[in-house]
Amino acid sequence: MLPFLLLGTRAEDAAADGEYRSFLRFTGLAPSNLHRIRVEQEPLPQLRLEDYSGIFLGGSPFNSSDAEDTKSPTQHRVERELRQLLDRVVAEDFPFLGACYGVGTLGRHQGAVIDRTFAEPIGPVEITVNDDGAADPLLAGLPPRFDAFVGHKEACSTLPAGAVLLASSASCPVQMFRVKQNLYATQFHPELDVEGLIQRIHIYRHAGYFPPDQAESVIERARDSAVTWPPHILAGFVRRYARD
């Protein structure tokens, strides 16, 4: 099988490695079949799309809607390189799934409005799948409503032209969308279970996602949740797009 590629942008080793382990676990892929590039550490090489079955983009501390003059040189480079990659990925309708940061990158690339109107605090939310989502093969077998973990400072306020909305939540109208037939973005984190979220709560305690003194209550809310369905999306992506 041709490997899949995970593009990461988390500068903290614990967060980056935890994300990679989560993608390995829930895709069912071996490390040899899930290559990883930490784009925040090194320039993105010129990729041959034909060498891969598909591409995952993990979450990120970067916010694409931040003022340009507040972004670091690393963020500017990462955004430029991802934009150039998406030029090719979208043109070829190449299998792509971006988790959380995918909404900002794929959405902005396609002309969406990305801003802070529908930010959500860290924790579980109920996701509602619409009719287009129910008909989409990537959501096949999932119930019409399921819980997922979120935590984001920006979101999509207006879908790009031609994109198909697949799922929403009460506090964020764009939780998942598709571009063309094979490019997906989720605002929720399909790679996170309770323990994965707790690790991130500790790592990003002072990153502005919640008041630091509320970390324990955020953790307790996560422990009381029942988030089981989102990882099926990752496994389904692999089943659908794995190729020799």
Side-chain angles (χ1 to χ4, degrees), residues 5 7 37 44-50 52 55 85 88:
L5 175 65
L7 300 177
I37 299 175
L44 187 64
Q46 184 67 23
L47 300 172
R48 285 168 36 96
L49 296 182
E50 58 267 32
Y52 294 98
I55 296 173
L85 175 62
R88 299 164 55 209

Side-chain angles (χ1 to χ4, degrees), residues 5 15 26 33 35 38 46 49 84 88 91 96 102 118 125 145-146 163 175 179 181 184 198 214 216 234 236-238:
L5 175 65
F26 292 124
N33 284 324
H35 296 174
R38 292 181 61 178
Q46 184 67 23
L49 296 182
Q84 291 169 349
R88 299 164 55 209
F96 174 91
F118 298 108
V125 299
R145 296 178 182 270
F146 59 87
Q175 284 285 352
V179 172
Q181 295 302 309
Y184 295 88
I198 289 173
Q214 294 183 14
E216 293 308 315
L234 299 182
F237 187 85
V238 169

Side-chain angles (χ1 to χ4, degrees), residues 25-242:
R25 177 184 175 192
F26 292 124
T27 60
L29 294 169
S32 59
N33 284 324
L34 182 60
H35 296 174
R36 175 174 61 152
I37 299 175
R38 292 181 61 178
V39 190
E40 89 290 349
Q41 285 191 341
E42 58 183 334
L44 187 64
Q46 184 67 23
L47 300 172
R48 285 168 36 96
L49 296 182
E50 58 267 32
D51 290 339
Y52 294 98
S53 289
I55 296 173
F56 295 106
L57 175 65
S60 180
F62 298 147
N63 292 292
S64 62
S65 61
D66 285 348
E68 295 301 312
D69 60 358
T70 68
K71 295 178 181 179
S72 68
T74 297
Q75 182 173 352
H76 280 294
R77 176 184 60 77
V78 168
E79 290 183 353
R80 181 178 65 255
E81 292 172 353
L82 291 177
R83 185 169 59 248
Q84 291 169 349
L85 175 62
L86 283 172
D87 287 344
R88 299 164 55 209
V89 166
V90 173
E92 296 187 25
D93 198 10
F94 186 80
F96 174 91
L97 174 58
C100 195
Y101 189 43
V103 167
T105 52
L106 180 61
R108 193 178 187 197
H109 183 272
Q110 292 297 289
V113 175
I114 307 296
D115 57 30
R116 299 200 174 209
T117 305
F118 298 108
E120 293 176 298
I122 289 179
V125 299
E126 184 180 66
I127 305 297
T128 300
V129 178
N130 63 19
D131 290 343
D132 286 321
D136 191 278
L138 204 59
L139 292 171
L142 272 71
R145 296 178 182 270
F146 59 87
D147 286 348
F149 286 128
V150 300
H152 53 98
K153 298 176 183 177
E154 65 179 9
C156 180
S157 294
T158 303
L159 276 174
V164 179
L165 179 66
L166 303 176
S168 304
S169 69
S171 51
C172 183
V174 179
Q175 284 285 352
M176 184 174 183
F177 67 84
R178 187 187 72 238
V179 172
K180 293 189 171 180
Q181 295 302 309
N182 301 311
L183 296 97
Y184 295 88
T186 66
Q187 189 63 77
F188 60 89
H189 286 274
E191 82 284 7
L192 280 183
D193 60 4
V194 172
E195 292 309 312
L197 181 66
I198 289 173
Q199 181 195 42
R200 291 199 191 161
I201 290 170
H202 287 302
I203 293 170
Y204 296 113
R205 185 180 187 132
H206 298 283
Y209 292 99
F210 54 87
D213 61 355
Q214 294 183 14
E216 293 308 315
S217 63
V218 175
I219 288 172
E220 286 307 308
R221 184 166 175 251
R223 289 195 188 281
D224 291 340
S225 65
V227 175
T228 58
W229 284 105
H232 290 260
I233 295 171
L234 299 182
F237 187 85
V238 169
R239 285 194 304 270
R240 184 180 179 192
Y241 293 115

